[in-house]
């Protein structure tokens, strides 16, 4: 299976760096890396639960999607991304905890 190239927009780059530099986020970082691995090879992997994320667009109006890093966890982490800018590439917009919905 051909791997997809993953690029990070500046905000996502900073968020990943913050996870890497925070010892208390070691477990989250491990799961984020595993999720990114799935995204490289199979965006339809069941654990990603990939779906369109409404409310924001990519820099050129691209549809934005959400992939699950965690499930059934308060403030579970999500990765927001879009297709492009090049063929067989996805761009990560953000790596963030899901907002509480109470």
């Amino acid at each position: 299976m051909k791997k997809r190239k993953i690029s990070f927009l500046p905000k996502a780059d900073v968020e990943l760096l913050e996870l890497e530099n925070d010892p208390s986020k070691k477990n989250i970082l491990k799961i984020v890396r595993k999720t990114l691995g799935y995204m490289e090879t199979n965006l339809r992997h069941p654990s990603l639960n990939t779906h369109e994320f409404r409310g924001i667009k990519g820099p050129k109006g691209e549809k934005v999607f959400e992939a699950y890093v965690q499930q059934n966890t308060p403030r579970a982490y999500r990765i927001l991304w879009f297709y492009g800018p090049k063929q067989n590439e996805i761009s990560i917009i953000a790596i963030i905890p899901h907002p509480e919905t109470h």
Side-chain angles (χ1 to χ4, degrees):
M1 181 175 284
K2 189 174 181 184
K3 279 192 173 186
R4 209 174 251 100
K5 182 181 185 313
I6 295 180
S7 60
F8 295 83
L9 296 184
K11 179 182 186 312
D13 226 5
V14 167
E15 291 161 346
L16 184 59
L17 192 61
E18 286 173 355
L19 287 174
E20 290 172 344
N21 291 327
D22 185 344
S24 72
K25 303 281 187 183
K26 183 179 175 184
N27 290 334
I28 295 291
L29 176 62
K30 183 178 178 180
I31 301 167
V32 165
R33 286 184 174 150
K34 183 177 181 179
T35 302
L36 291 169
Y38 286 145
M39 292 174 73
E40 274 185 322
T41 58
N42 181 9
L43 284 171
R44 295 175 189 228
H45 191 282
S47 72
L48 295 177
N49 196 18
T50 301
H51 57 277
E52 189 174 346
F53 186 82
R54 300 188 190 277
I56 63 169
K57 298 268 184 210
K60 294 184 180 174
E62 301 92 343
K63 279 186 183 178
V64 171
F65 298 88
E66 174 180 31
Y68 284 35
V69 174
Q70 301 169 295
Q71 297 186 33
N72 303 321
T73 304
R75 297 188 41 84
Y77 269 74
R78 304 287 190 254
I79 296 177
L80 303 180
W81 60 276
F82 63 90
Y83 288 102
K86 297 177 184 167
Q87 181 139 2
N88 204 39
E89 180 177 13
I90 59 174
S91 295
I92 307 298
I93 295 174
I95 303 168
I96 55 173
H98 193 276
E100 296 282 354
T101 54
H102 298 296

mmCIF file of all heavy atoms in Angstrom, residues 50-89:
data_model
loop_
_atom_site.group_PDB
_atom_site.id
_atom_site.type_symbol
_atom_site.label_atom_id
_atom_site.label_comp_id
_atom_site.label_asym_id
_atom_site.label_seq_id
_atom_site.Cartn_x
_atom_site.Cartn_y
_atom_site.Cartn_z
ATOM 1 N N THR A 50 -13.000 8.698 10.761
ATOM 2 C CA THR A 50 -12.833 9.904 9.964
ATOM 3 C C THR A 50 -14.167 10.406 9.424
ATOM 4 O O THR A 50 -14.948 9.635 8.884
ATOM 5 C CB THR A 50 -11.865 9.635 8.792
ATOM 6 O OG1 THR A 50 -10.623 9.209 9.324
ATOM 7 C CG2 THR A 50 -11.639 10.879 7.957
ATOM 8 N N HIS A 51 -14.381 11.714 9.578
ATOM 9 C CA HIS A 51 -15.587 12.335 9.026
ATOM 10 C C HIS A 51 -15.348 13.824 8.819
ATOM 11 O O HIS A 51 -14.401 14.397 9.368
ATOM 12 C CB HIS A 51 -16.806 12.097 9.933
ATOM 13 C CG HIS A 51 -16.620 12.589 11.332
ATOM 14 N ND1 HIS A 51 -15.984 11.857 12.302
ATOM 15 C CD2 HIS A 51 -16.969 13.754 11.910
ATOM 16 C CE1 HIS A 51 -15.958 12.553 13.429
ATOM 17 N NE2 HIS A 51 -16.545 13.707 13.223
ATOM 18 N N GLU A 52 -16.194 14.425 7.998
ATOM 19 C CA GLU A 52 -16.050 15.853 7.717
ATOM 20 C C GLU A 52 -16.254 16.656 8.996
ATOM 21 O O GLU A 52 -17.110 16.341 9.812
ATOM 22 C CB GLU A 52 -17.061 16.288 6.654
ATOM 23 C CG GLU A 52 -16.826 17.699 6.168
ATOM 24 C CD GLU A 52 -17.715 18.102 5.010
ATOM 25 O OE1 GLU A 52 -18.347 17.223 4.388
ATOM 26 O OE2 GLU A 52 -17.774 19.308 4.739
ATOM 27 N N PHE A 53 -15.438 17.684 9.146
ATOM 28 C CA PHE A 53 -15.516 18.579 10.295
ATOM 29 C C PHE A 53 -16.071 19.899 9.782
ATOM 30 O O PHE A 53 -15.402 20.640 9.075
ATOM 31 C CB PHE A 53 -14.122 18.773 10.906
ATOM 32 C CG PHE A 53 -14.117 19.559 12.176
ATOM 33 C CD1 PHE A 53 -14.403 18.952 13.381
ATOM 34 C CD2 PHE A 53 -13.814 20.915 12.174
ATOM 35 C CE1 PHE A 53 -14.385 19.675 14.576
ATOM 36 C CE2 PHE A 53 -13.796 21.653 13.352
ATOM 37 C CZ PHE A 53 -14.089 21.021 14.550
ATOM 38 N N ARG A 54 -17.301 20.159 10.105
ATOM 39 C CA ARG A 54 -17.954 21.373 9.590
ATOM 40 C C ARG A 54 -17.581 22.575 10.463
ATOM 41 O O ARG A 54 -17.333 22.440 11.633
ATOM 42 C CB ARG A 54 -19.458 21.184 9.564
ATOM 43 C CG ARG A 54 -19.853 20.015 8.685
ATOM 44 C CD ARG A 54 -21.345 19.926 8.488
ATOM 45 N NE ARG A 54 -21.737 18.696 7.856
ATOM 46 C CZ ARG A 54 -21.716 18.474 6.557
ATOM 47 N NH1 ARG A 54 -21.289 19.404 5.744
ATOM 48 N NH2 ARG A 54 -22.098 17.310 6.063
ATOM 49 N N GLY A 55 -17.563 23.734 9.855
ATOM 50 C CA GLY A 55 -17.306 24.956 10.618
ATOM 51 C C GLY A 55 -16.000 25.628 10.262
ATOM 52 O O GLY A 55 -15.839 26.816 10.494
ATOM 53 N N ILE A 56 -15.049 24.868 9.735
ATOM 54 C CA ILE A 56 -13.808 25.493 9.261
ATOM 55 C C ILE A 56 -13.461 24.901 7.901
ATOM 56 O O ILE A 56 -13.894 23.803 7.560
ATOM 57 C CB ILE A 56 -12.621 25.344 10.242
ATOM 58 C CG1 ILE A 56 -12.243 23.878 10.433
ATOM 59 C CG2 ILE A 56 -12.890 26.011 11.559
ATOM 60 C CD1 ILE A 56 -10.932 23.687 11.178
ATOM 61 N N LYS A 57 -12.675 25.645 7.155
ATOM 62 C CA LYS A 57 -12.199 25.213 5.837
ATOM 63 C C LYS A 57 -10.680 25.307 5.839
ATOM 64 O O LYS A 57 -10.089 26.011 6.650
ATOM 65 C CB LYS A 57 -12.754 26.119 4.742
ATOM 66 C CG LYS A 57 -14.262 26.114 4.626
ATOM 67 C CD LYS A 57 -14.704 25.095 3.637
ATOM 68 C CE LYS A 57 -16.211 25.156 3.431
ATOM 69 N NZ LYS A 57 -16.752 23.889 3.092
ATOM 70 N N GLY A 58 -10.067 24.593 4.909
ATOM 71 C CA GLY A 58 -8.630 24.703 4.713
ATOM 72 C C GLY A 58 -8.281 26.076 4.166
ATOM 73 O O GLY A 58 -9.163 26.866 3.830
ATOM 74 N N PRO A 59 -6.981 26.388 4.023
ATOM 75 C CA PRO A 59 -6.552 27.715 3.593
ATOM 76 C C PRO A 59 -7.081 28.127 2.221
ATOM 77 O O PRO A 59 -7.225 29.304 1.933
ATOM 78 C CB PRO A 59 -5.027 27.641 3.594
ATOM 79 C CG PRO A 59 -4.658 26.266 3.954
ATOM 80 C CD PRO A 59 -5.875 25.508 4.338
ATOM 81 N N LYS A 60 -7.388 27.159 1.365
ATOM 82 C CA LYS A 60 -7.915 27.473 0.031
ATOM 83 C C LYS A 60 -9.356 26.987 -0.099
ATOM 84 O O LYS A 60 -9.806 26.649 -1.186
ATOM 85 C CB LYS A 60 -7.032 26.855 -1.047
ATOM 86 C CG LYS A 60 -5.650 27.472 -1.087
ATOM 87 C CD LYS A 60 -4.831 26.919 -2.210
ATOM 88 C CE LYS A 60 -3.453 27.588 -2.207
ATOM 89 N NZ LYS A 60 -2.577 26.979 -3.203
ATOM 90 N N GLY A 61 -10.050 26.901 1.026
ATOM 91 C CA GLY A 61 -11.452 26.489 1.014
ATOM 92 C C GLY A 61 -11.668 24.989 1.005
ATOM 93 O O GLY A 61 -12.783 24.517 0.779
ATOM 94 N N GLU A 62 -10.625 24.197 1.263
ATOM 95 C CA GLU A 62 -10.736 22.743 1.260
ATOM 96 C C GLU A 62 -11.662 22.252 2.365
ATOM 97 O O GLU A 62 -11.753 22.866 3.432
ATOM 98 C CB GLU A 62 -9.358 22.072 1.482
ATOM 99 C CG GLU A 62 -8.305 22.406 0.467
ATOM 100 C CD GLU A 62 -7.447 23.597 0.874
ATOM 101 O OE1 GLU A 62 -7.840 24.375 1.767
ATOM 102 O OE2 GLU A 62 -6.368 23.753 0.293
ATOM 103 N N LYS A 63 -12.321 21.120 2.115
ATOM 104 C CA LYS A 63 -13.092 20.458 3.168
ATOM 105 C C LYS A 63 -12.120 19.974 4.228
ATOM 106 O O LYS A 63 -11.055 19.437 3.906
ATOM 107 C CB LYS A 63 -13.832 19.230 2.624
ATOM 108 C CG LYS A 63 -15.105 19.529 1.930
ATOM 109 C CD LYS A 63 -15.798 18.210 1.589
ATOM 110 C CE LYS A 63 -17.067 18.462 0.822
ATOM 111 N NZ LYS A 63 -17.710 17.186 0.456
ATOM 112 N N VAL A 64 -12.483 20.146 5.486
ATOM 113 C CA VAL A 64 -11.652 19.702 6.599
ATOM 114 C C VAL A 64 -12.295 18.452 7.202
ATOM 115 O O VAL A 64 -13.510 18.347 7.290
ATOM 116 C CB VAL A 64 -11.507 20.817 7.652
ATOM 117 C CG1 VAL A 64 -10.836 20.306 8.924
ATOM 118 C CG2 VAL A 64 -10.708 21.980 7.065
ATOM 119 N N PHE A 65 -11.450 17.512 7.598
ATOM 120 C CA PHE A 65 -11.896 16.263 8.193
ATOM 121 C C PHE A 65 -11.320 16.119 9.592
ATOM 122 O O PHE A 65 -10.313 16.730 9.937
ATOM 123 C CB PHE A 65 -11.470 15.077 7.322
ATOM 124 C CG PHE A 65 -12.087 15.113 5.958
ATOM 125 C CD1 PHE A 65 -11.470 15.792 4.918
ATOM 126 C CD2 PHE A 65 -13.301 14.491 5.713
ATOM 127 C CE1 PHE A 65 -12.045 15.858 3.666
ATOM 128 C CE2 PHE A 65 -13.887 14.545 4.460
ATOM 129 C CZ PHE A 65 -13.255 15.226 3.432
ATOM 130 N N GLU A 66 -11.967 15.271 10.370
ATOM 131 C CA GLU A 66 -11.555 14.994 11.748
ATOM 132 C C GLU A 66 -11.238 13.502 11.854
ATOM 133 O O GLU A 66 -11.988 12.678 11.349
ATOM 134 C CB GLU A 66 -12.707 15.366 12.668
ATOM 135 C CG GLU A 66 -12.500 15.015 14.116
ATOM 136 C CD GLU A 66 -13.690 15.418 14.983
ATOM 137 O OE1 GLU A 66 -14.843 15.415 14.496
ATOM 138 O OE2 GLU A 66 -13.449 15.717 16.151
ATOM 139 N N ALA A 67 -10.129 13.180 12.488
ATOM 140 C CA ALA A 67 -9.773 11.799 12.792
ATOM 141 C C ALA A 67 -9.634 11.674 14.305
ATOM 142 O O ALA A 67 -9.057 12.545 14.950
ATOM 143 C CB ALA A 67 -8.473 11.397 12.103
ATOM 144 N N TYR A 68 -10.161 10.598 14.844
ATOM 145 C CA TYR A 68 -10.099 10.384 16.287
ATOM 146 C C TYR A 68 -8.722 9.864 16.682
ATOM 147 O O TYR A 68 -8.194 8.953 16.055
ATOM 148 C CB TYR A 68 -11.131 9.342 16.717
ATOM 149 C CG TYR A 68 -12.554 9.824 16.767
ATOM 150 C CD1 TYR A 68 -13.042 10.753 15.861
ATOM 151 C CD2 TYR A 68 -13.421 9.334 17.720
ATOM 152 C CE1 TYR A 68 -14.353 11.190 15.919
ATOM 153 C CE2 TYR A 68 -14.739 9.753 17.782
ATOM 154 C CZ TYR A 68 -15.203 10.687 16.876
ATOM 155 O OH TYR A 68 -16.492 11.106 16.926
ATOM 156 N N VAL A 69 -8.174 10.445 17.726
ATOM 157 C CA VAL A 69 -6.970 9.913 18.369
ATOM 158 C C VAL A 69 -7.411 9.031 19.533
ATOM 159 O O VAL A 69 -6.872 7.960 19.756
ATOM 160 C CB VAL A 69 -6.051 11.053 18.866
ATOM 161 C CG1 VAL A 69 -4.876 10.504 19.655
ATOM 162 C CG2 VAL A 69 -5.574 11.905 17.687
ATOM 163 N N GLN A 70 -8.420 9.496 20.266
ATOM 164 C CA GLN A 70 -8.971 8.766 21.409
ATOM 165 C C GLN A 70 -10.487 8.735 21.277
ATOM 166 O O GLN A 70 -11.070 9.574 20.605
ATOM 167 C CB GLN A 70 -8.646 9.478 22.718
ATOM 168 C CG GLN A 70 -7.191 9.665 23.002
ATOM 169 C CD GLN A 70 -7.006 10.614 24.172
ATOM 170 O OE1 GLN A 70 -7.355 11.782 24.088
ATOM 171 N NE2 GLN A 70 -6.466 10.099 25.260
ATOM 172 N N GLN A 71 -11.093 7.767 21.960
ATOM 173 C CA GLN A 71 -12.547 7.687 22.005
ATOM 174 C C GLN A 71 -12.980 7.458 23.440
ATOM 175 O O GLN A 71 -12.215 6.945 24.246
ATOM 176 C CB GLN A 71 -13.049 6.548 21.128
ATOM 177 C CG GLN A 71 -12.724 6.756 19.669
ATOM 178 C CD GLN A 71 -13.342 5.702 18.797
ATOM 179 O OE1 GLN A 71 -14.405 5.202 19.085
ATOM 180 N NE2 GLN A 71 -12.647 5.368 17.726
ATOM 181 N N ASN A 72 -14.207 7.866 23.742
ATOM 182 C CA ASN A 72 -14.781 7.651 25.070
ATOM 183 C C ASN A 72 -13.885 8.149 26.189
ATOM 184 O O ASN A 72 -13.727 7.501 27.221
ATOM 185 C CB ASN A 72 -15.107 6.164 25.278
ATOM 186 C CG ASN A 72 -16.046 5.648 24.211
ATOM 187 O OD1 ASN A 72 -16.969 6.341 23.791
ATOM 188 N ND2 ASN A 72 -15.810 4.439 23.752
ATOM 189 N N THR A 73 -13.277 9.299 25.970
ATOM 190 C CA THR A 73 -12.381 9.925 26.939
ATOM 191 C C THR A 73 -12.758 11.402 27.025
ATOM 192 O O THR A 73 -12.946 12.033 25.989
ATOM 193 C CB THR A 73 -10.910 9.824 26.442
ATOM 194 O OG1 THR A 73 -10.608 8.458 26.197
ATOM 195 C CG2 THR A 73 -9.945 10.389 27.437
ATOM 196 N N PRO A 74 -12.866 11.954 28.237
ATOM 197 C CA PRO A 74 -13.131 13.396 28.320
ATOM 198 C C PRO A 74 -12.039 14.175 27.581
ATOM 199 O O PRO A 74 -10.855 13.866 27.708
ATOM 200 C CB PRO A 74 -13.091 13.694 29.817
ATOM 201 C CG PRO A 74 -13.351 12.377 30.471
ATOM 202 C CD PRO A 74 -12.775 11.334 29.542
ATOM 203 N N ARG A 75 -12.449 15.136 26.784
ATOM 204 C CA ARG A 75 -11.526 15.953 25.991
ATOM 205 C C ARG A 75 -10.596 15.091 25.145
ATOM 206 O O ARG A 75 -9.397 15.340 25.033
ATOM 207 C CB ARG A 75 -10.758 16.929 26.876
ATOM 208 C CG ARG A 75 -11.694 17.928 27.548
ATOM 209 C CD ARG A 75 -11.033 19.067 28.291
ATOM 210 N NE ARG A 75 -9.885 19.690 27.670
ATOM 211 C CZ ARG A 75 -9.945 20.664 26.742
ATOM 212 N NH1 ARG A 75 -11.084 21.088 26.297
ATOM 213 N NH2 ARG A 75 -8.836 21.199 26.275
ATOM 214 N N ALA A 76 -11.170 14.074 24.527
ATOM 215 C CA ALA A 76 -10.405 13.156 23.677
ATOM 216 C C ALA A 76 -9.737 13.925 22.535
ATOM 217 O O ALA A 76 -10.332 14.828 21.953
ATOM 218 C CB ALA A 76 -11.331 12.090 23.114
ATOM 219 N N TYR A 77 -8.503 13.551 22.238
ATOM 220 C CA TYR A 77 -7.757 14.247 21.191
ATOM 221 C C TYR A 77 -8.290 13.897 19.805
ATOM 222 O O TYR A 77 -8.734 12.784 19.551
ATOM 223 C CB TYR A 77 -6.269 13.899 21.278
ATOM 224 C CG TYR A 77 -5.518 14.857 22.160
ATOM 225 C CD1 TYR A 77 -5.647 14.794 23.541
ATOM 226 C CD2 TYR A 77 -4.704 15.839 21.622
ATOM 227 C CE1 TYR A 77 -4.976 15.687 24.358
ATOM 228 C CE2 TYR A 77 -4.026 16.741 22.433
ATOM 229 C CZ TYR A 77 -4.170 16.657 23.792
ATOM 230 O OH TYR A 77 -3.514 17.547 24.593
ATOM 231 N N ARG A 78 -8.205 14.898 18.915
ATOM 232 C CA ARG A 78 -8.615 14.785 17.531
ATOM 233 C C ARG A 78 -7.531 15.396 16.642
ATOM 234 O O ARG A 78 -6.786 16.267 17.077
ATOM 235 C CB ARG A 78 -9.926 15.550 17.258
ATOM 236 C CG ARG A 78 -11.082 15.142 18.149
ATOM 237 C CD ARG A 78 -11.609 13.777 17.754
ATOM 238 N NE ARG A 78 -12.858 13.477 18.438
ATOM 239 C CZ ARG A 78 -12.977 12.630 19.427
ATOM 240 N NH1 ARG A 78 -11.912 12.006 19.901
ATOM 241 N NH2 ARG A 78 -14.150 12.372 19.959
ATOM 242 N N ILE A 79 -7.473 14.931 15.403
ATOM 243 C CA ILE A 79 -6.587 15.522 14.408
ATOM 244 C C ILE A 79 -7.475 16.079 13.295
ATOM 245 O O ILE A 79 -8.298 15.358 12.738
ATOM 246 C CB ILE A 79 -5.591 14.484 13.846
ATOM 247 C CG1 ILE A 79 -4.656 14.003 14.959
ATOM 248 C CG2 ILE A 79 -4.793 15.089 12.681
ATOM 249 C CD1 ILE A 79 -3.677 12.916 14.542
ATOM 250 N N LEU A 80 -7.308 17.364 13.010
ATOM 251 C CA LEU A 80 -8.044 18.016 11.931
ATOM 252 C C LEU A 80 -7.117 18.127 10.725
ATOM 253 O O LEU A 80 -5.958 18.521 10.869
ATOM 254 C CB LEU A 80 -8.517 19.403 12.362
ATOM 255 C CG LEU A 80 -9.381 19.455 13.623
ATOM 256 C CD1 LEU A 80 -9.791 20.896 13.929
ATOM 257 C CD2 LEU A 80 -10.602 18.577 13.494
ATOM 258 N N TRP A 81 -7.635 17.781 9.541
ATOM 259 C CA TRP A 81 -6.790 17.715 8.357
ATOM 260 C C TRP A 81 -7.600 17.938 7.080
ATOM 261 O O TRP A 81 -8.818 17.923 7.105
ATOM 262 C CB TRP A 81 -6.085 16.363 8.295
ATOM 263 C CG TRP A 81 -7.032 15.195 8.236
ATOM 264 C CD1 TRP A 81 -7.648 14.578 9.288
ATOM 265 C CD2 TRP A 81 -7.518 14.544 7.072
ATOM 266 N NE1 TRP A 81 -8.471 13.578 8.838
ATOM 267 C CE2 TRP A 81 -8.407 13.534 7.476
ATOM 268 C CE3 TRP A 81 -7.277 14.715 5.703
ATOM 269 C CZ2 TRP A 81 -9.059 12.701 6.588
ATOM 270 C CZ3 TRP A 81 -7.924 13.877 4.810
ATOM 271 C CH2 TRP A 81 -8.792 12.889 5.246
ATOM 272 N N PHE A 82 -6.883 18.149 5.962
ATOM 273 C CA PHE A 82 -7.515 18.247 4.650
ATOM 274 C C PHE A 82 -6.614 17.594 3.610
ATOM 275 O O PHE A 82 -5.427 17.381 3.847
ATOM 276 C CB PHE A 82 -7.850 19.700 4.280
ATOM 277 C CG PHE A 82 -6.654 20.605 4.144
ATOM 278 C CD1 PHE A 82 -5.999 20.766 2.928
ATOM 279 C CD2 PHE A 82 -6.189 21.325 5.231
ATOM 280 C CE1 PHE A 82 -4.911 21.605 2.797
ATOM 281 C CE2 PHE A 82 -5.103 22.179 5.122
ATOM 282 C CZ PHE A 82 -4.463 22.314 3.893
ATOM 283 N N TYR A 83 -7.203 17.260 2.452
ATOM 284 C CA TYR A 83 -6.441 16.682 1.346
ATOM 285 C C TYR A 83 -5.629 17.767 0.658
ATOM 286 O O TYR A 83 -6.129 18.848 0.385
ATOM 287 C CB TYR A 83 -7.376 16.051 0.313
ATOM 288 C CG TYR A 83 -8.022 14.777 0.769
ATOM 289 C CD1 TYR A 83 -9.335 14.760 1.212
ATOM 290 C CD2 TYR A 83 -7.323 13.572 0.761
ATOM 291 C CE1 TYR A 83 -9.943 13.588 1.628
ATOM 292 C CE2 TYR A 83 -7.921 12.388 1.178
ATOM 293 C CZ TYR A 83 -9.231 12.406 1.606
ATOM 294 O OH TYR A 83 -9.820 11.238 2.019
ATOM 295 N N GLY A 84 -4.355 17.468 0.361
ATOM 296 C CA GLY A 84 -3.511 18.380 -0.408
ATOM 297 C C GLY A 84 -2.443 19.015 0.454
ATOM 298 O O GLY A 84 -2.264 18.640 1.603
ATOM 299 N N PRO A 85 -1.692 19.947 -0.090
ATOM 300 C CA PRO A 85 -1.930 20.594 -1.370
ATOM 301 C C PRO A 85 -1.521 19.762 -2.589
ATOM 302 O O PRO A 85 -1.980 20.001 -3.685
ATOM 303 C CB PRO A 85 -1.093 21.870 -1.292
ATOM 304 C CG PRO A 85 0.025 21.544 -0.359
ATOM 305 C CD PRO A 85 -0.558 20.549 0.613
ATOM 306 N N LYS A 86 -0.663 18.762 -2.397
ATOM 307 C CA LYS A 86 -0.233 17.937 -3.531
ATOM 308 C C LYS A 86 -1.022 16.632 -3.542
ATOM 309 O O LYS A 86 -1.621 16.244 -2.542
ATOM 310 C CB LYS A 86 1.272 17.634 -3.418
ATOM 311 C CG LYS A 86 2.137 18.866 -3.485
ATOM 312 C CD LYS A 86 3.588 18.510 -3.300
ATOM 313 C CE LYS A 86 4.427 19.785 -3.274
ATOM 314 N NZ LYS A 86 5.767 19.557 -2.804
ATOM 315 N N GLN A 87 -0.971 15.960 -4.686
ATOM 316 C CA GLN A 87 -1.614 14.661 -4.803
ATOM 317 C C GLN A 87 -0.974 13.683 -3.809
ATOM 318 O O GLN A 87 0.226 13.729 -3.578
ATOM 319 C CB GLN A 87 -1.445 14.122 -6.222
ATOM 320 C CG GLN A 87 -2.102 12.789 -6.409
ATOM 321 C CD GLN A 87 -2.812 12.696 -7.734
ATOM 322 O OE1 GLN A 87 -2.786 13.620 -8.523
ATOM 323 N NE2 GLN A 87 -3.444 11.583 -7.977
ATOM 324 N N ASN A 88 -1.790 12.829 -3.235
ATOM 325 C CA ASN A 88 -1.352 11.824 -2.265
ATOM 326 C C ASN A 88 -0.718 12.458 -1.017
ATOM 327 O O ASN A 88 0.202 11.917 -0.425
ATOM 328 C CB ASN A 88 -0.394 10.813 -2.908
ATOM 329 C CG ASN A 88 -0.398 9.506 -2.138
ATOM 330 O OD1 ASN A 88 -1.439 9.051 -1.684
ATOM 331 N ND2 ASN A 88 0.757 8.898 -1.971
ATOM 332 N N GLU A 89 -1.215 13.629 -0.645
ATOM 333 C CA GLU A 89 -0.727 14.332 0.540
ATOM 334 C C GLU A 89 -1.921 14.806 1.360
ATOM 335 O O GLU A 89 -2.964 15.158 0.810
ATOM 336 C CB GLU A 89 0.116 15.540 0.124
ATOM 337 C CG GLU A 89 0.676 16.335 1.289
ATOM 338 C CD GLU A 89 1.582 17.484 0.838
ATOM 339 O OE1 GLU A 89 1.598 17.831 -0.346
ATOM 340 O OE2 GLU A 89 2.262 18.020 1.708
#
